[in-house]
Amino acid sequence: MNPADTFAAIFDMDGVLIDSYQAHFQSWLAVANDTGRPMTRDEFDRTFGHTSREVIASLWPDKASTPEQIAVLDRKKEEAFRHILSQNFPEMPGACDLLQALAAAGDSLAVGSSGPPGNVAMVVDRLGIRPLLGAVVTGADVKRGKPDPQVFQIAAERLHHPPSRCVVIEDAPDGIRAALAAGMAVVAIASAPRSRDLLSAADLIVDSLTELSHDRLHQVIQRRNG
């Protein structure tokens, strides 16, 4: 492999490495039940990819007006999420195979997620991909969640790659906006419940990680850079 052809691939976690949509929604419903203020599926979809802190402050300002109160609800939500995930761990098809293939090709790999460290660590370890990763960025590393590009910028810095040599694999509109704002190429996974129309800003939309390879991602980066 020509070193000039290698790049950094930054993977979102939820909806990309694991199909965690239902687990997140159910754990947010548990928080909503505790607060007495329901969460609609539309609110969940709209805030998916934001940090839990941001979601709590936005949807339950009367119940969580201080950092301490936000932290209590945040902890409840993520404990519920990890419990649900421990009962059913839905790895996305092709996730481990793709990361292994990219690592074998000499590409640098990172996970860039707005999720808390405990969630990300659980997923990374259950997938067995930690030895393949040059960086793991979580919600604890950022002050601003997606669509702010900070999570991807930090990942690129830790991998020592300029944005022009990075491709982000995402599944949410806010994640796509964050990747583009960081100056990176972006591939969208069209996982439920999002339609392809909502992902149209991505450089490439696929239905599964099994459709991706080193060569295809390299082509996406080349097209983005003209």
Side-chain angles (χ1 to χ4, degrees):
M1 181 64 63
N2 184 344
D5 292 334
T6 59
F7 52 82
I10 305 171
F11 289 78
D12 179 40
M13 184 181 80
D14 293 302
V16 174
L17 297 178
I18 58 167
D19 185 6
S20 56
Y21 179 87
Q22 286 300 329
H24 273 299
F25 186 46
Q26 293 300 320
S27 57
W28 275 121
L29 291 182
V31 171
N33 184 62
D34 283 348
T35 65
R37 189 272 193 194
M39 176 189 233
T40 67
R41 190 172 289 271
D42 179 67
E43 287 172 331
F44 172 68
D45 288 340
R46 180 162 39 84
T47 58
F48 200 69
H50 296 198
T51 66
S52 296
R53 302 184 303 274
E54 291 171 322
V55 176
I56 291 167
S58 172
L59 297 184
W60 295 284
D62 57 327
K63 301 292 184 179
S65 58
T66 67
E68 293 76 18
Q69 290 172 326
I70 290 174
V72 169
L73 291 183
D74 188 13
R75 186 164 54 252
K76 288 182 179 179
K77 187 272 172 188
E78 301 308 345
E79 287 174 352
F81 173 76
R82 287 191 291 272
H83 174 73
I84 294 169
L85 211 61
S86 70
Q87 305 300 307
N88 177 26
F89 188 79
E91 175 185 345
M92 293 291 274
C96 290
D97 289 343
L98 177 59
L99 268 74
Q100 289 168 358
L102 295 177
D107 301 319
S108 300
L109 305 176
V111 169
S113 171
S114 297
N119 293 9
V120 178
M122 177 184 182
V123 171
V124 166
D125 291 336
R126 284 287 294 268
L127 291 174
I129 60 173
R130 191 175 293 278
L132 305 177
L133 301 175
V136 177
V137 184
T138 74
D141 297 308
V142 301
K143 294 181 179 179
R144 303 174 301 277
K146 304 168 189 176
D148 189 278
Q150 187 178 33
V151 63
F152 298 136
Q153 291 170 332
I154 292 173
E157 289 170 2
R158 292 181 179 177
L159 294 177
H160 307 293
H161 276 265
S164 61
R165 297 300 301 165
C166 295
V167 58
V168 172
I169 297 85
E170 259 286 354
D171 75 310
D174 275 350
I176 293 170
R177 285 191 282 271
L180 295 176
M184 301 176 185
V186 57
V187 174
I189 307 297
S191 57
R194 298 178 181 87
S195 69
R196 283 174 170 256
D197 289 345
L198 294 176
L199 308 174
S200 60
D203 295 291
L204 174 68
I205 303 174
V206 297
D207 293 315
S208 170
L209 293 173
T210 59
E211 300 176 46
L212 299 177
S213 64
H214 166 86
D215 289 343
R216 197 167 190 192
L217 292 175
H218 185 241
Q219 290 169 3
V220 171
I221 293 174
Q222 287 182 311
R223 287 200 302 271
R224 165 59 59 176
N225 294 329

mmCIF file of all heavy atoms in Angstrom, residues 46-86:
data_model
loop_
_atom_site.group_PDB
_atom_site.id
_atom_site.type_symbol
_atom_site.label_atom_id
_atom_site.label_comp_id
_atom_site.label_asym_id
_atom_site.label_seq_id
_atom_site.Cartn_x
_atom_site.Cartn_y
_atom_site.Cartn_z
ATOM 1 N N ARG A 46 -34.649 14.243 16.728
ATOM 2 C CA ARG A 46 -34.068 15.562 16.506
ATOM 3 C C ARG A 46 -32.806 15.779 17.342
ATOM 4 O O ARG A 46 -31.908 16.523 16.928
ATOM 5 C CB ARG A 46 -35.119 16.633 16.831
ATOM 6 C CG ARG A 46 -34.662 18.054 16.646
ATOM 7 C CD ARG A 46 -35.848 19.008 16.565
ATOM 8 N NE ARG A 46 -36.910 18.655 17.488
ATOM 9 C CZ ARG A 46 -36.948 19.011 18.765
ATOM 10 N NH1 ARG A 46 -35.948 19.707 19.277
ATOM 11 N NH2 ARG A 46 -37.971 18.676 19.527
ATOM 12 N N THR A 47 -32.718 15.149 18.494
ATOM 13 C CA THR A 47 -31.577 15.364 19.385
ATOM 14 C C THR A 47 -30.562 14.228 19.323
ATOM 15 O O THR A 47 -29.542 14.278 20.010
ATOM 16 C CB THR A 47 -32.052 15.520 20.844
ATOM 17 O OG1 THR A 47 -32.786 14.349 21.231
ATOM 18 C CG2 THR A 47 -32.941 16.744 20.996
ATOM 19 N N PHE A 48 -30.819 13.220 18.504
ATOM 20 C CA PHE A 48 -29.909 12.068 18.410
ATOM 21 C C PHE A 48 -28.545 12.549 17.914
ATOM 22 O O PHE A 48 -28.441 13.243 16.909
ATOM 23 C CB PHE A 48 -30.478 11.023 17.451
ATOM 24 C CG PHE A 48 -29.892 9.653 17.645
ATOM 25 C CD1 PHE A 48 -30.174 8.930 18.788
ATOM 26 C CD2 PHE A 48 -29.067 9.083 16.689
ATOM 27 C CE1 PHE A 48 -29.658 7.655 18.977
ATOM 28 C CE2 PHE A 48 -28.544 7.818 16.861
ATOM 29 C CZ PHE A 48 -28.832 7.102 18.001
ATOM 30 N N GLY A 49 -27.489 12.187 18.631
ATOM 31 C CA GLY A 49 -26.151 12.636 18.287
ATOM 32 C C GLY A 49 -25.664 13.777 19.152
ATOM 33 O O GLY A 49 -24.469 14.069 19.187
ATOM 34 N N HIS A 50 -26.593 14.460 19.850
ATOM 35 C CA HIS A 50 -26.186 15.486 20.808
ATOM 36 C C HIS A 50 -25.710 14.794 22.085
ATOM 37 O O HIS A 50 -26.026 13.631 22.340
ATOM 38 C CB HIS A 50 -27.356 16.406 21.135
ATOM 39 C CG HIS A 50 -27.845 17.197 19.959
ATOM 40 N ND1 HIS A 50 -28.618 18.329 20.094
ATOM 41 C CD2 HIS A 50 -27.674 17.042 18.622
ATOM 42 C CE1 HIS A 50 -28.919 18.823 18.915
ATOM 43 N NE2 HIS A 50 -28.352 18.051 18.000
ATOM 44 N N THR A 51 -24.956 15.503 22.906
ATOM 45 C CA THR A 51 -24.567 14.915 24.184
ATOM 46 C C THR A 51 -25.799 14.807 25.080
ATOM 47 O O THR A 51 -26.761 15.579 24.946
ATOM 48 C CB THR A 51 -23.504 15.766 24.899
ATOM 49 O OG1 THR A 51 -24.078 17.026 25.259
ATOM 50 C CG2 THR A 51 -22.291 16.000 24.010
ATOM 51 N N SER A 52 -25.775 13.849 25.996
ATOM 52 C CA SER A 52 -26.893 13.694 26.935
ATOM 53 C C SER A 52 -27.108 14.960 27.743
ATOM 54 O O SER A 52 -28.247 15.330 28.046
ATOM 55 C CB SER A 52 -26.624 12.511 27.873
ATOM 56 O OG SER A 52 -26.576 11.302 27.156
ATOM 57 N N ARG A 53 -26.023 15.633 28.090
ATOM 58 C CA ARG A 53 -26.133 16.869 28.862
ATOM 59 C C ARG A 53 -26.950 17.905 28.102
ATOM 60 O O ARG A 53 -27.794 18.597 28.682
ATOM 61 C CB ARG A 53 -24.733 17.416 29.186
ATOM 62 C CG ARG A 53 -23.844 16.463 29.958
ATOM 63 C CD ARG A 53 -22.521 17.120 30.324
ATOM 64 N NE ARG A 53 -21.791 17.624 29.179
ATOM 65 C CZ ARG A 53 -20.953 16.899 28.442
ATOM 66 N NH1 ARG A 53 -20.786 15.605 28.725
ATOM 67 N NH2 ARG A 53 -20.295 17.438 27.432
ATOM 68 N N GLU A 54 -26.694 18.021 26.819
ATOM 69 C CA GLU A 54 -27.416 18.997 26.000
ATOM 70 C C GLU A 54 -28.896 18.641 25.891
ATOM 71 O O GLU A 54 -29.769 19.505 25.961
ATOM 72 C CB GLU A 54 -26.791 19.074 24.605
ATOM 73 C CG GLU A 54 -25.403 19.697 24.579
ATOM 74 C CD GLU A 54 -24.720 19.580 23.234
ATOM 75 O OE1 GLU A 54 -24.866 18.523 22.576
ATOM 76 O OE2 GLU A 54 -24.038 20.526 22.823
ATOM 77 N N VAL A 55 -29.174 17.342 25.718
ATOM 78 C CA VAL A 55 -30.564 16.902 25.580
ATOM 79 C C VAL A 55 -31.335 17.177 26.867
ATOM 80 O O VAL A 55 -32.459 17.698 26.840
ATOM 81 C CB VAL A 55 -30.624 15.407 25.233
ATOM 82 C CG1 VAL A 55 -32.082 14.926 25.176
ATOM 83 C CG2 VAL A 55 -29.946 15.140 23.894
ATOM 84 N N ILE A 56 -30.746 16.846 27.999
ATOM 85 C CA ILE A 56 -31.415 17.039 29.290
ATOM 86 C C ILE A 56 -31.686 18.518 29.543
ATOM 87 O O ILE A 56 -32.787 18.903 29.936
ATOM 88 C CB ILE A 56 -30.560 16.433 30.421
ATOM 89 C CG1 ILE A 56 -30.553 14.902 30.296
ATOM 90 C CG2 ILE A 56 -31.087 16.855 31.788
ATOM 91 C CD1 ILE A 56 -29.500 14.222 31.150
ATOM 92 N N ALA A 57 -30.697 19.352 29.312
ATOM 93 C CA ALA A 57 -30.867 20.784 29.541
ATOM 94 C C ALA A 57 -31.941 21.374 28.629
ATOM 95 O O ALA A 57 -32.661 22.295 29.016
ATOM 96 C CB ALA A 57 -29.545 21.508 29.324
ATOM 97 N N SER A 58 -32.062 20.806 27.420
ATOM 98 C CA SER A 58 -33.031 21.322 26.455
ATOM 99 C C SER A 58 -34.455 20.869 26.759
ATOM 100 O O SER A 58 -35.395 21.674 26.702
ATOM 101 C CB SER A 58 -32.644 20.874 25.044
ATOM 102 O OG SER A 58 -33.646 21.188 24.111
ATOM 103 N N LEU A 59 -34.631 19.594 27.115
ATOM 104 C CA LEU A 59 -35.973 19.031 27.254
ATOM 105 C C LEU A 59 -36.526 19.100 28.669
ATOM 106 O O LEU A 59 -37.749 19.101 28.855
ATOM 107 C CB LEU A 59 -35.978 17.573 26.774
ATOM 108 C CG LEU A 59 -35.652 17.345 25.296
ATOM 109 C CD1 LEU A 59 -35.797 15.866 24.948
ATOM 110 C CD2 LEU A 59 -36.548 18.189 24.402
ATOM 111 N N TRP A 60 -35.656 19.147 29.672
ATOM 112 C CA TRP A 60 -36.137 19.154 31.058
ATOM 113 C C TRP A 60 -35.508 20.294 31.854
ATOM 114 O O TRP A 60 -34.917 20.068 32.925
ATOM 115 C CB TRP A 60 -35.831 17.809 31.716
ATOM 116 C CG TRP A 60 -36.575 16.669 31.109
ATOM 117 C CD1 TRP A 60 -37.904 16.361 31.283
ATOM 118 C CD2 TRP A 60 -36.058 15.694 30.211
ATOM 119 N NE1 TRP A 60 -38.234 15.242 30.538
ATOM 120 C CE2 TRP A 60 -37.129 14.808 29.868
ATOM 121 C CE3 TRP A 60 -34.802 15.461 29.652
ATOM 122 C CZ2 TRP A 60 -36.969 13.738 29.007
ATOM 123 C CZ3 TRP A 60 -34.645 14.390 28.785
ATOM 124 C CH2 TRP A 60 -35.712 13.547 28.470
ATOM 125 N N PRO A 61 -35.609 21.533 31.382
ATOM 126 C CA PRO A 61 -34.963 22.651 32.093
ATOM 127 C C PRO A 61 -35.521 22.875 33.487
ATOM 128 O O PRO A 61 -34.800 23.354 34.372
ATOM 129 C CB PRO A 61 -35.240 23.849 31.178
ATOM 130 C CG PRO A 61 -36.467 23.466 30.409
ATOM 131 C CD PRO A 61 -36.350 21.983 30.191
ATOM 132 N N ASP A 62 -36.789 22.529 33.701
ATOM 133 C CA ASP A 62 -37.378 22.735 35.029
ATOM 134 C C ASP A 62 -36.952 21.655 36.015
ATOM 135 O O ASP A 62 -36.991 21.861 37.225
ATOM 136 C CB ASP A 62 -38.909 22.764 34.928
ATOM 137 C CG ASP A 62 -39.470 21.503 34.294
ATOM 138 O OD1 ASP A 62 -38.792 20.925 33.418
ATOM 139 O OD2 ASP A 62 -40.590 21.087 34.665
ATOM 140 N N LYS A 63 -36.539 20.498 35.495
ATOM 141 C CA LYS A 63 -36.112 19.389 36.361
ATOM 142 C C LYS A 63 -34.596 19.338 36.535
ATOM 143 O O LYS A 63 -34.103 18.688 37.458
ATOM 144 C CB LYS A 63 -36.580 18.060 35.766
ATOM 145 C CG LYS A 63 -38.090 17.944 35.594
ATOM 146 C CD LYS A 63 -38.805 17.881 36.924
ATOM 147 C CE LYS A 63 -40.309 17.674 36.720
ATOM 148 N NZ LYS A 63 -41.030 17.585 38.000
ATOM 149 N N ALA A 64 -33.882 19.987 35.621
ATOM 150 C CA ALA A 64 -32.426 19.928 35.659
ATOM 151 C C ALA A 64 -31.868 21.290 35.282
ATOM 152 O O ALA A 64 -31.429 21.516 34.153
ATOM 153 C CB ALA A 64 -31.910 18.848 34.709
ATOM 154 N N SER A 65 -31.871 22.182 36.240
ATOM 155 C CA SER A 65 -31.420 23.555 35.985
ATOM 156 C C SER A 65 -29.991 23.799 36.458
ATOM 157 O O SER A 65 -29.427 24.865 36.207
ATOM 158 C CB SER A 65 -32.353 24.554 36.668
ATOM 159 O OG SER A 65 -32.413 24.303 38.069
ATOM 160 N N THR A 66 -29.396 22.829 37.130
ATOM 161 C CA THR A 66 -28.022 22.963 37.606
ATOM 162 C C THR A 66 -27.187 21.806 37.055
ATOM 163 O O THR A 66 -27.724 20.752 36.697
ATOM 164 C CB THR A 66 -27.953 22.927 39.137
ATOM 165 O OG1 THR A 66 -28.319 21.597 39.599
ATOM 166 C CG2 THR A 66 -28.907 23.950 39.757
ATOM 167 N N PRO A 67 -25.868 21.980 36.991
ATOM 168 C CA PRO A 67 -25.012 20.888 36.523
ATOM 169 C C PRO A 67 -25.188 19.609 37.342
ATOM 170 O O PRO A 67 -25.119 18.501 36.792
ATOM 171 C CB PRO A 67 -23.595 21.460 36.681
ATOM 172 C CG PRO A 67 -23.775 22.935 36.563
ATOM 173 C CD PRO A 67 -25.101 23.222 37.224
ATOM 174 N N GLU A 68 -25.436 19.758 38.631
ATOM 175 C CA GLU A 68 -25.605 18.576 39.488
ATOM 176 C C GLU A 68 -26.884 17.821 39.137
ATOM 177 O O GLU A 68 -26.889 16.582 39.076
ATOM 178 C CB GLU A 68 -25.636 19.000 40.962
ATOM 179 C CG GLU A 68 -24.319 19.556 41.501
ATOM 180 C CD GLU A 68 -24.035 20.983 41.035
ATOM 181 O OE1 GLU A 68 -24.980 21.671 40.587
ATOM 182 O OE2 GLU A 68 -22.868 21.389 41.110
ATOM 183 N N GLN A 69 -27.966 18.550 38.897
ATOM 184 C CA GLN A 69 -29.225 17.908 38.533
ATOM 185 C C GLN A 69 -29.131 17.256 37.155
ATOM 186 O O GLN A 69 -29.664 16.163 36.934
ATOM 187 C CB GLN A 69 -30.355 18.939 38.548
ATOM 188 C CG GLN A 69 -30.727 19.425 39.941
ATOM 189 C CD GLN A 69 -31.703 20.585 39.904
ATOM 190 O OE1 GLN A 69 -31.666 21.429 38.998
ATOM 191 N NE2 GLN A 69 -32.587 20.646 40.895
ATOM 192 N N ILE A 70 -28.456 17.912 36.250
ATOM 193 C CA ILE A 70 -28.241 17.328 34.923
ATOM 194 C C ILE A 70 -27.436 16.039 35.045
ATOM 195 O O ILE A 70 -27.740 15.034 34.396
ATOM 196 C CB ILE A 70 -27.523 18.333 33.997
ATOM 197 C CG1 ILE A 70 -28.467 19.494 33.643
ATOM 198 C CG2 ILE A 70 -27.032 17.648 32.725
ATOM 199 C CD1 ILE A 70 -27.804 20.608 32.860
ATOM 200 N N ALA A 71 -26.427 16.047 35.898
ATOM 201 C CA ALA A 71 -25.578 14.868 36.067
ATOM 202 C C ALA A 71 -26.368 13.684 36.607
ATOM 203 O O ALA A 71 -26.126 12.534 36.214
ATOM 204 C CB ALA A 71 -24.409 15.191 36.997
ATOM 205 N N VAL A 72 -27.329 13.933 37.501
ATOM 206 C CA VAL A 72 -28.138 12.844 38.062
ATOM 207 C C VAL A 72 -28.965 12.178 36.957
ATOM 208 O O VAL A 72 -28.988 10.947 36.827
ATOM 209 C CB VAL A 72 -29.056 13.375 39.177
ATOM 210 C CG1 VAL A 72 -30.083 12.307 39.572
ATOM 211 C CG2 VAL A 72 -28.238 13.781 40.391
ATOM 212 N N LEU A 73 -29.655 12.986 36.146
ATOM 213 C CA LEU A 73 -30.462 12.421 35.063
ATOM 214 C C LEU A 73 -29.578 11.773 34.007
ATOM 215 O O LEU A 73 -29.937 10.722 33.442
ATOM 216 C CB LEU A 73 -31.329 13.507 34.434
ATOM 217 C CG LEU A 73 -32.464 14.058 35.286
ATOM 218 C CD1 LEU A 73 -33.278 15.070 34.493
ATOM 219 C CD2 LEU A 73 -33.365 12.936 35.791
ATOM 220 N N ASP A 74 -28.443 12.372 33.735
ATOM 221 C CA ASP A 74 -27.503 11.823 32.767
ATOM 222 C C ASP A 74 -27.054 10.426 33.203
ATOM 223 O O ASP A 74 -27.024 9.480 32.405
ATOM 224 C CB ASP A 74 -26.298 12.763 32.643
ATOM 225 C CG ASP A 74 -25.362 12.372 31.511
ATOM 226 O OD1 ASP A 74 -25.747 11.532 30.674
ATOM 227 O OD2 ASP A 74 -24.250 12.913 31.459
ATOM 228 N N ARG A 75 -26.729 10.289 34.476
ATOM 229 C CA ARG A 75 -26.269 9.000 34.995
ATOM 230 C C ARG A 75 -27.366 7.954 34.898
ATOM 231 O O ARG A 75 -27.123 6.801 34.507
ATOM 232 C CB ARG A 75 -25.804 9.173 36.442
ATOM 233 C CG ARG A 75 -25.166 7.920 37.031
ATOM 234 C CD ARG A 75 -24.390 8.250 38.295
ATOM 235 N NE ARG A 75 -25.190 8.963 39.277
ATOM 236 C CZ ARG A 75 -25.036 10.248 39.581
ATOM 237 N NH1 ARG A 75 -24.118 10.979 38.974
ATOM 238 N NH2 ARG A 75 -25.799 10.817 40.493
ATOM 239 N N LYS A 76 -28.604 8.327 35.224
ATOM 240 C CA LYS A 76 -29.723 7.384 35.130
ATOM 241 C C LYS A 76 -29.931 6.920 33.701
ATOM 242 O O LYS A 76 -30.155 5.729 33.446
ATOM 243 C CB LYS A 76 -31.010 8.042 35.651
ATOM 244 C CG LYS A 76 -31.069 8.230 37.151
ATOM 245 C CD LYS A 76 -32.396 8.846 37.576
ATOM 246 C CE LYS A 76 -32.477 9.004 39.090
ATOM 247 N NZ LYS A 76 -33.764 9.629 39.498
ATOM 248 N N LYS A 77 -29.879 7.869 32.775
ATOM 249 C CA LYS A 77 -30.107 7.531 31.377
ATOM 250 C C LYS A 77 -29.049 6.555 30.875
ATOM 251 O O LYS A 77 -29.366 5.546 30.228
ATOM 252 C CB LYS A 77 -30.106 8.815 30.536
ATOM 253 C CG LYS A 77 -30.512 8.609 29.083
ATOM 254 C CD LYS A 77 -29.351 8.271 28.185
ATOM 255 C CE LYS A 77 -29.823 7.880 26.806
ATOM 256 N NZ LYS A 77 -28.723 7.366 25.968
ATOM 257 N N GLU A 78 -27.785 6.837 31.140
ATOM 258 C CA GLU A 78 -26.721 6.009 30.591
ATOM 259 C C GLU A 78 -26.639 4.646 31.284
ATOM 260 O O GLU A 78 -26.277 3.653 30.654
ATOM 261 C CB GLU A 78 -25.385 6.750 30.668
ATOM 262 C CG GLU A 78 -25.366 8.079 29.920
ATOM 263 C CD GLU A 78 -25.849 7.986 28.469
ATOM 264 O OE1 GLU A 78 -25.937 6.877 27.906
ATOM 265 O OE2 GLU A 78 -26.154 9.048 27.900
ATOM 266 N N GLU A 79 -26.980 4.590 32.565
ATOM 267 C CA GLU A 79 -27.034 3.286 33.235
ATOM 268 C C GLU A 79 -28.124 2.423 32.609
ATOM 269 O O GLU A 79 -27.934 1.217 32.398
ATOM 270 C CB GLU A 79 -27.284 3.473 34.730
ATOM 271 C CG GLU A 79 -26.075 4.005 35.487
ATOM 272 C CD GLU A 79 -26.396 4.314 36.937
ATOM 273 O OE1 GLU A 79 -27.596 4.262 37.317
ATOM 274 O OE2 GLU A 79 -25.457 4.631 37.699
ATOM 275 N N ALA A 80 -29.280 3.035 32.314
ATOM 276 C CA ALA A 80 -30.365 2.303 31.665
ATOM 277 C C ALA A 80 -29.937 1.842 30.278
ATOM 278 O O ALA A 80 -30.220 0.705 29.872
ATOM 279 C CB ALA A 80 -31.608 3.182 31.569
ATOM 280 N N PHE A 81 -29.234 2.701 29.540
ATOM 281 C CA PHE A 81 -28.774 2.354 28.193
ATOM 282 C C PHE A 81 -27.825 1.164 28.224
ATOM 283 O O PHE A 81 -27.981 0.204 27.452
ATOM 284 C CB PHE A 81 -28.082 3.559 27.558
ATOM 285 C CG PHE A 81 -27.421 3.253 26.247
ATOM 286 C CD1 PHE A 81 -28.171 3.105 25.091
ATOM 287 C CD2 PHE A 81 -26.042 3.118 26.170
ATOM 288 C CE1 PHE A 81 -27.562 2.817 23.876
ATOM 289 C CE2 PHE A 81 -25.428 2.832 24.959
ATOM 290 C CZ PHE A 81 -26.186 2.683 23.813
ATOM 291 N N ARG A 82 -26.858 1.187 29.118
ATOM 292 C CA ARG A 82 -25.885 0.094 29.172
ATOM 293 C C ARG A 82 -26.537 -1.209 29.600
ATOM 294 O O ARG A 82 -26.173 -2.296 29.123
ATOM 295 C CB ARG A 82 -24.721 0.466 30.103
ATOM 296 C CG ARG A 82 -23.795 1.510 29.496
ATOM 297 C CD ARG A 82 -22.525 1.669 30.313
ATOM 298 N NE ARG A 82 -22.765 2.280 31.607
ATOM 299 C CZ ARG A 82 -22.767 3.594 31.822
ATOM 300 N NH1 ARG A 82 -22.560 4.443 30.825
ATOM 301 N NH2 ARG A 82 -22.974 4.071 33.036
ATOM 302 N N HIS A 83 -27.533 -1.124 30.487
ATOM 303 C CA HIS A 83 -28.243 -2.337 30.896
ATOM 304 C C HIS A 83 -28.993 -2.943 29.709
ATOM 305 O O HIS A 83 -28.928 -4.154 29.477
ATOM 306 C CB HIS A 83 -29.229 -2.013 32.022
ATOM 307 C CG HIS A 83 -30.085 -3.190 32.396
ATOM 308 N ND1 HIS A 83 -29.596 -4.272 33.109
ATOM 309 C CD2 HIS A 83 -31.405 -3.465 32.144
ATOM 310 C CE1 HIS A 83 -30.561 -5.159 33.278
ATOM 311 N NE2 HIS A 83 -31.658 -4.696 32.701
ATOM 312 N N ILE A 84 -29.689 -2.094 28.954
ATOM 313 C CA ILE A 84 -30.422 -2.584 27.780
ATOM 314 C C ILE A 84 -29.457 -3.201 26.773
ATOM 315 O O ILE A 84 -29.706 -4.278 26.229
ATOM 316 C CB ILE A 84 -31.225 -1.431 27.136
ATOM 317 C CG1 ILE A 84 -32.325 -0.956 28.086
ATOM 318 C CG2 ILE A 84 -31.821 -1.866 25.796
ATOM 319 C CD1 ILE A 84 -32.982 0.336 27.658
ATOM 320 N N LEU A 85 -28.340 -2.527 26.545
ATOM 321 C CA LEU A 85 -27.375 -3.006 25.563
ATOM 322 C C LEU A 85 -26.713 -4.307 26.005
ATOM 323 O O LEU A 85 -26.373 -5.159 25.176
ATOM 324 C CB LEU A 85 -26.314 -1.929 25.322
ATOM 325 C CG LEU A 85 -25.692 -1.872 23.927
ATOM 326 C CD1 LEU A 85 -26.756 -1.591 22.884
ATOM 327 C CD2 LEU A 85 -24.610 -0.789 23.876
ATOM 328 N N SER A 86 -26.542 -4.474 27.312
ATOM 329 C CA SER A 86 -25.927 -5.714 27.807
ATOM 330 C C SER A 86 -26.823 -6.922 27.565
ATOM 331 O O SER A 86 -26.343 -8.059 27.473
ATOM 332 C CB SER A 86 -25.620 -5.584 29.304
ATOM 333 O OG SER A 86 -26.816 -5.569 30.073
#
